């Protein structure tokens, strides 16, 4: 009886310890994600490293090196969801603020919109077991339409704090205006927290995807974006802009959420009335109604 009692007590202790460890781990995850908020000087670096085209006239994309100032706003903070909105600062007035990309982090999420090609995403589901302890990073475009997403575990070891995932994505803005010879960017994203900010490291494959055919690798690319923390006062105009405009963008996010909750494949029109979606949404006034927002977004969704 004493042996059985000892085994039972030990089992309870291990369960309790495991639960505590999971709680501590999740707190570390949350701390890492939230640490990406604030004002940053950003260095964007991209270079095409290898090309596999058989075309003798093939030209690599030019090396891209740019700097920018960016404010990252915490817009949602829940137990299992953290949402960060990026605002790009291109000048010294509020008119120079560009609503940039958004990243949502969901704990043990099972519903995904995985990029297919062109302007289509496939709805997919994973089991709870497959995403146990993991965070999904959902990245959205400037108009809050989907871009790419994937699930992985935050790693905290040897003084490092990072998250790594490989997933398919549309062509980046720097490419889709100058390239039409591939239609999928398979991204391996590493987001790592550093003492001075954070790093977004990328190893990307440029793919040609056609229905019922194997993907063709056209080229590979290296990306290295360095976010260096600076005083929040340097991003004051972005903070002020968000105070004036956050309500209309909340309506945009809410409308997209209604679309995503349908849990079905999604295809978007590139243009309506000869305008891309972001142009119509950027033109909205802060007091725009949710009906006006819904009408615009629904007009871009193919039936």
């Amino acid at each position: 009886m004493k042996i059985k009692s000892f085994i039972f007590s030990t089992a309870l202790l291990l369960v309790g310890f495991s639960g505590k460890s999971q709680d501590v781990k999740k707190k570390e995850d949350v701390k890492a994600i939230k640490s990406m908020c604030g004002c940053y000087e950003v260095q964007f670096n991209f270079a095409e490293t290898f090309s596999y085209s058989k075309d003798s006239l093939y030209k690599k994309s030019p090396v891209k090196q740019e700097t920018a100032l960016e404010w990252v706003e915490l817009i949602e903070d829940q137990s299992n969801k953290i949402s960060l909105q990026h605002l790009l600062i291109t000048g010294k007035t509020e008119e120079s603020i560009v609503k940039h990309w958004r990243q949502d982090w969901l704990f043990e999420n099972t519903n995904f919109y995985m990029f297919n090609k062109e302007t289509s995403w496939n709805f997919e589901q994973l089991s709870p077991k497959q995403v146990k302890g993991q965070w999904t990073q959902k990245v959205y475009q400037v108009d809050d339409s989907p871009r790419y997403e994937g699930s992985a575990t935050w790693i905290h070891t040897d003084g490092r704090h990072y998250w790594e995932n490989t997933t398919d994505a549309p062509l980046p803005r720097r490419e889709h205006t100058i390239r039409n010879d591939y239609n999928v960017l398979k991204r391996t994203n590493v987001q790592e927290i550093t003492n001075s900010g954070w790093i977004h490291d990328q190893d990307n494959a440029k793919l040609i995807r056609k229905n019922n055919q194997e993907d063709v690798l056209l080229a590979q690319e290296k990306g290295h974006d360095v976010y260096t923390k600076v005083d929040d006062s340097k991003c004051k105009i972005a903070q002020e802009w968000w105070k004036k405009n956050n309500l209309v963008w909340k309506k945009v996010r809410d409308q997209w959420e209604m679309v995503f909750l349908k849990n079905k494949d999604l295809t978007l029109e590139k243009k309506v009335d000869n305008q891309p979606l972001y142009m119509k949404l950027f033109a909205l006034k802060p007091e725009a109604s949710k009906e006006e927002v819904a009408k615009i977004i629904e007009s871009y969704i193919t039936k």
Side-chain angles (χ1 to χ4, degrees):
M1 290 297 293
K2 289 185 178 180
I3 294 176
K4 288 183 179 180
S5 178
F6 173 77
I7 293 173
F8 181 69
S9 299
T10 303
L12 285 177
L13 181 64
L14 290 173
V15 170
F17 179 77
S18 176
K20 184 178 179 180
S21 297
Q22 290 173 1
D23 289 342
V24 171
K25 167 67 168 58
K26 188 179 179 183
K27 287 180 180 178
E28 282 190 296
D29 298 345
V30 169
K31 181 181 178 181
I33 294 168
K34 288 185 179 180
S35 72
M36 289 187 277
C37 295
C39 188
Y40 293 91
E41 290 178 349
V42 191
Q43 176 72 51
F44 299 102
N45 303 282
F46 291 93
E48 194 168 301
T49 52
F50 302 100
S51 57
Y52 303 94
S53 175
K54 297 178 181 179
D55 186 348
S56 60
L57 299 178
Y58 177 84
K59 291 184 178 180
K60 291 183 178 181
S61 291
V63 172
K64 183 181 180 68
Q65 292 180 306
E66 290 186 358
T67 58
L69 190 62
E70 190 148 283
W71 173 251
V72 185
E73 176 89 13
L74 177 65
I75 61 173
E76 195 167 345
D77 184 8
Q78 300 180 24
S79 175
N80 292 328
K81 182 181 180 182
I82 303 168
S83 183
L84 312 180
Q85 176 63 61
H86 291 240
L87 300 172
L88 190 65
I89 302 172
T90 62
K92 296 184 178 181
T93 65
E94 288 189 16
E95 288 71 28
S96 66
I97 303 302
V98 177
K99 181 187 169 296
H100 211 192
W101 61 295
R102 184 178 107 240
Q103 49 175 327
D104 285 359
W105 292 86
L106 279 65
F107 186 64
E108 296 184 344
N109 165 68
T110 57
N111 292 345
F112 296 83
Y113 278 86
M114 305 304 290
F115 181 69
N116 179 24
K117 59 184 175 67
E118 275 76 54
T119 58
S120 66
W121 289 259
N122 295 333
F123 176 75
E124 298 180 11
Q125 286 186 306
L126 295 179
S127 69
K129 183 178 180 180
Q130 289 175 292
V131 297
K132 179 71 173 176
Q134 296 185 352
W135 287 84
T136 296
Q137 184 202 42
K138 291 177 176 275
V139 172
Y140 299 88
Q141 312 201 68
V142 297
D143 52 23
D144 286 322
S145 61
R147 188 159 182 79
Y148 62 85
E149 51 195 75
S151 182
T153 303
W154 272 91
I155 305 298
H156 310 283
T157 186
D158 296 334
R160 295 181 63 192
H161 308 273
Y162 65 94
W163 178 95
E164 180 176 348
N165 175 261
T166 300
T167 192
D168 293 343
L171 272 63
R173 194 165 298 277
R174 67 180 182 276
E175 289 274 88
H176 80 76
T177 56
I178 61 173
R179 300 284 294 266
N180 60 7
D181 53 348
Y182 74 99
N183 58 354
V184 176
L185 189 71
K186 182 176 284 293
R187 308 172 60 121
T188 295
N189 298 297
V190 179
Q191 289 186 230
E192 180 165 358
I193 310 305
T194 66
N195 291 332
S196 59
W198 54 286
I199 293 172
H200 184 191
D201 213 44
Q202 301 171 49
D203 287 292
N204 302 328
K206 300 178 179 182
L207 305 178
I208 302 169
R209 178 168 295 169
K210 296 180 179 180
N211 291 336
N212 303 316
Q213 295 184 30
E214 288 190 11
D215 291 346
V216 175
L217 176 61
L218 181 67
Q220 290 175 289
E221 173 189 71
K222 180 65 182 180
H224 186 67
D225 300 340
V226 181
Y227 289 73
T228 302
K229 193 80 163 62
V230 296
D231 194 272
D232 286 356
S233 61
K234 289 191 174 184
C235 292
K236 185 176 179 180
I237 57 171
Q239 298 166 45
E240 294 299 321
W241 184 92
W242 186 248
K243 287 179 182 177
K244 295 176 182 178
N245 293 276
N246 74 87
L247 290 179
V248 70
W249 287 105
K250 174 66 164 58
K251 293 171 185 173
V252 171
R253 295 195 306 276
D254 288 347
Q255 180 58 35
W256 275 118
E257 188 62 23
M258 291 177 67
V259 174
F260 300 145
L261 287 174
K262 295 178 181 177
N263 291 350
K264 65 178 186 179
D265 295 350
L266 177 66
T267 300
L268 302 177
E269 298 284 358
K270 290 183 178 180
K271 291 184 178 181
V272 173
D273 301 326
N274 205 34
Q275 283 187 311
L277 176 57
Y278 76 88
M279 289 185 65
K280 289 194 176 184
L281 293 181
F282 279 12
L284 286 172
K285 295 180 179 180
E287 62 273 16
S289 68
K290 63 180 182 180
E291 291 79 14
E292 185 178 358
V293 169
K295 183 177 180 182
I296 292 173
I297 291 176
E298 286 296 329
S299 70
Y300 283 81
I301 300 174
T302 62
K303 305 300 181 182

